[in-house]
Amino acid sequence: MNLSFSIAKRYLFSKKSHNAINLISIISVCGIAIATTAMVCALSVFNGFTGMAAGMFSTFDPQLKITSVKGKVFDSEDERILAVRNLPDIDIFSYCIEDNILLKYNDRQVPALLKGVPGNFNKLTQIDTILIDGEFKLKDDVNSYGILGIGLAIDLGVNAGFIYPLEIYAPKRNAKVNMANPAAAFNQEYAYIAGVFRMNQPMYDNQCIIVPIELTQTIFDYTTEVSSVEIKLKETADISKAQGTIRKTIGEEFKVQNQYEQQESSFRMMNMEKWFTYMILCFIMTIAIFNVVGSLSMLIIEKKGDIITLKNLGADQKLISRIFLFEGWMISFAGGVIGIVLGLILCLAQQLFGLLKLGTQAGVFLVDAYPVNVVAGDVIFIFATVLVIGFLTAIIPVRMLNKQ
């Protein structure tokens, strides 16, 4: 093993009789390095966008959310739910009700998602950080208040502090529509506008209105029914362990989702795009690494005399094959190392200086430059990919040598 590696290393760094072999080897290393750099940068950018999305969702979504597997609502006085409330890792435990309603203001009507929350919702989430107008306020001694997404506020033509309240309509439970008086089949409530938030996520900005949970109970004719339980854990708690404990406590009739699972479709799409990009770059890298086939083939032709000499000295075919395998591996290894180092340098420069901008004008997007987040697991995976593709490619000329 040491002998074949030493000979391969000498072949790699020694000057060949034909400059074309040196040139092809250099091109191979450069091609692998560029493809590896592109992989590191591309996956790090996808990680950056995923982290940015997770940060936005975390301002509105709770750390853990319990919902029913079957049906929209469940009994908040269920013994299993009450048992979760007493777990030591729970910091804030809140009941919430969500359902579709119709909002009306003057002559404008918009379907929306009504989310009823308790008064400590601003402690459960970071909604205060996304308020762009007004304040977080759900009720006073007399009135109920609502906080709207910016898209919903624009559709209704309203803003925080308007004098007149929003009209909220929801169908009565188990009521039949009387065509002579269809309004009798709906419950009606009112909420003044306390604030407007912006998450830059259409599913929230264009649809959601937050109101006191008492108002939702009234308009939907609920008593102890709730749509979900939203939980914030203590700072010392481990989210994964707490999630597992809650699942064991409440059984299979309920789902316990963390923030990523609550937005599973969005993050799944991001991951699919990330790994599709990885596959495309793998294909490009394979083409670049195929230069190694040409380099090794020409080297084998040039070293025919050395091969005959080694055989006369007692070297078997396995040792000779390992020499050229090591040669191909070292080319791939050198290109991979150089590419990863370059990729890490570019990612660091992007983090510090924002070299690659999202647009020509500042403030148009959420961030001015492409976000990057280097994950050690991705870097190791990329390096392993380079070595595997390099190994498989180096086998081709070596097999041809064995046949000869």
Side-chain angles (χ1 to χ4, degrees):
M1 182 71 74
N2 291 334
L3 176 61
S4 55
F5 179 77
S6 299
I7 296 173
K9 185 170 65 173
R10 182 177 181 84
Y11 282 169
L12 180 65
F13 294 106
S14 64
K15 187 175 181 180
K16 283 75 173 178
S17 58
H18 298 282
N19 290 331
I21 301 176
N22 287 326
L23 181 61
I24 294 174
S25 297
I26 293 171
I27 291 173
S28 300
V29 172
C30 292
I32 296 168
I34 292 171
T36 306
T37 301
M39 271 190 172
V40 173
C41 293
L43 297 193
S44 297
V45 168
F46 275 107
N47 291 335
F49 278 117
T50 302
M52 188 176 70
M56 288 190 298
F57 285 127
S58 67
T59 62
F60 198 89
D61 294 335
Q63 287 181 318
L64 294 175
K65 184 176 183 178
I66 301 174
T67 54
S68 176
V69 173
K70 296 181 180 179
K72 293 192 297 184
V73 296
F74 57 90
D75 188 358
S76 62
E77 296 182 357
D78 189 299
E79 292 181 358
R80 293 166 294 181
I81 300 297
L82 297 176
V84 171
R85 188 169 195 165
N86 297 322
L87 291 176
D89 288 334
I90 305 298
D91 184 22
I92 298 177
F93 184 95
S94 297
Y95 296 116
C96 295
I97 299 174
E98 296 182 21
D99 212 334
N100 296 316
I101 47 91
L102 178 70
L103 282 180
K104 182 180 178 184
Y105 191 85
N106 292 333
D107 57 344
R108 298 191 182 189
Q109 299 180 10
V110 178
L113 176 68
L114 189 71
K115 183 179 178 74
V117 299
N120 62 351
F121 185 72
N122 59 331
K123 296 179 181 178
L124 179 73
T125 63
Q126 304 173 37
I127 190 168
D128 289 331
T129 63
I130 57 175
L131 286 176
I132 59 172
D133 188 31
E135 59 180 338
F136 181 81
K137 182 180 180 182
L138 293 177
K139 61 181 180 178
D140 55 25
D141 295 336
V142 179
N143 300 310
S144 296
Y145 293 86
I147 297 97
L148 291 77
I150 185 171
L152 197 56
I154 292 171
D155 289 340
L156 290 168
V158 298
N159 213 333
F162 272 36
I163 298 175
Y164 299 106
L166 292 168
E167 298 176 32
I168 304 173
Y169 295 92
K172 293 179 180 179
R173 297 177 72 182
N174 304 319
K176 294 182 179 180
V177 177
N178 183 356
M179 297 308 295
N181 184 20
F186 290 84
N187 288 327
Q188 181 180 3
E189 289 292 333
Y190 299 91
Y192 290 88
I193 306 163
V196 177
F197 68 84
R198 181 177 65 189
M199 268 193 64
N200 296 295
Q201 294 294 327
M203 60 184 295
Y204 292 114
D205 290 347
N206 298 340
Q207 299 179 21
C208 190
I209 173 173
I210 302 169
V211 297
I213 191 169
E214 294 82 4
L215 185 146
T216 55
Q217 288 174 327
T218 301
I219 198 167
F220 295 128
D221 296 324
Y222 289 158
T223 52
T224 60
E225 299 94 334
V226 294
S227 301
S228 63
V229 173
E230 299 189 349
I231 296 171
K232 181 180 180 181
L233 301 173
K234 294 178 180 178
E235 292 184 1
T236 56
D238 182 272
I239 295 178
S240 298
K241 290 182 179 179
Q243 187 177 11
T245 302
I246 294 172
R247 280 176 176 163
K248 291 179 182 178
T249 304
I250 62 177
E252 297 180 355
E253 294 181 17
F254 297 91
K255 291 187 293 185
V256 185
Q257 298 172 305
N258 58 31
Q259 288 177 331
Y260 283 94
E261 291 167 341
Q262 291 169 46
Q263 304 295 337
E264 186 177 1
S265 57
S266 298
F267 288 114
R268 188 192 294 120
M269 183 60 68
M270 290 182 184
N271 279 326
M272 287 177 61
E273 291 174 350
K274 173 181 174 180
W275 294 114
F276 270 122
T277 303
Y278 164 79
M279 291 170 63
I280 293 170
L281 291 174
C282 276
F283 178 72
I284 296 171
M285 179 176 288
T286 302
I287 296 173
I289 288 180
F290 258 95
N291 287 319
V292 176
V293 176
S295 177
L296 288 182
S297 299
M298 294 182 69
L299 184 64
I300 289 170
I301 294 171
E302 183 183 275
K303 301 300 180 181
K304 271 189 176 180
D306 291 358
I307 293 171
I308 294 172
T309 302
L310 286 170
K311 283 188 175 181
N312 292 335
L313 291 173
D316 57 9
Q317 190 63 35
K318 188 178 293 186
L319 185 144
I320 295 171
S321 297
R322 283 203 300 263
I323 292 173
F324 296 101
L325 276 176
F326 278 128
E327 178 84 9
W329 292 347
M330 283 190 285
I331 293 174
S332 300
F333 181 85
V337 170
I338 294 171
I340 286 174
V341 171
L342 286 175
L344 293 176
I345 291 173
L346 287 175
C347 288
L348 180 62
Q350 179 67 15
Q351 282 182 328
L352 296 177
F353 308 110
L355 302 177
L356 193 59
K357 304 294 184 182
L358 277 167
T360 56
Q361 295 181 352
V364 175
F365 297 95
L366 292 176
V367 288
D368 293 332
Y370 280 90
V372 290
N373 178 27
V374 179
V375 176
D378 286 352
V379 175
I380 295 171
F381 187 71
I382 290 169
F383 189 61
T385 301
V386 174
L387 295 183
V388 169
I389 296 176
F391 170 77
L392 295 176
T393 307
I395 289 176
I396 297 173
V398 172
R399 288 186 65 182
M400 293 172 61
L401 172 65
N402 292 335
K403 287 180 180 180
Q404 292 175 2

